[in-house]
Amino acid sequence: MQKPAIAVIGGTGAEGSGLVVRWAHAGYPVIIGSRSDEKAAAVAAELSALLPAGHAPISGATNAAAAE
């Protein structure tokens, strides 16, 4: 059974990033929301690099897109 995706609005900060890493490591796909699509994508790539291969995907989007 696939786990549901989790969106973290404003997920580029310290608290949001910590939650993103833990949820992705636990198998939940995570979407990081930010005012800037570019910043969200950059943070998603940085956090993905911290995790071992095979973790759930971490992606970045604007806050509005992540909320959808």
Side-chain angles (χ1 to χ4, degrees), residues 48-61:
S48 289
L50 298 175
L51 293 169
H55 66 81
I58 300 173
S59 60

Side-chain angles (χ1 to χ4, degrees), residues 30-59:
V30 183
I31 305 163
I32 296 173
S34 176
R35 289 179 294 226
S36 163
D37 189 41
E38 293 83 14
K39 182 175 181 179
V43 171
E46 289 174 21
L47 297 179
S48 289
L50 298 175
L51 293 169
H55 66 81
I58 300 173
S59 60

Side-chain angles (χ1 to χ4, degrees), residues 6-32:
I6 298 173
V8 181
I9 307 304
T12 59
E15 291 84 8
S17 294
L19 291 170
V20 168
V21 168
R22 285 167 179 80
W23 283 326
H25 187 65
Y28 290 89
V30 183
I31 305 163
I32 296 173

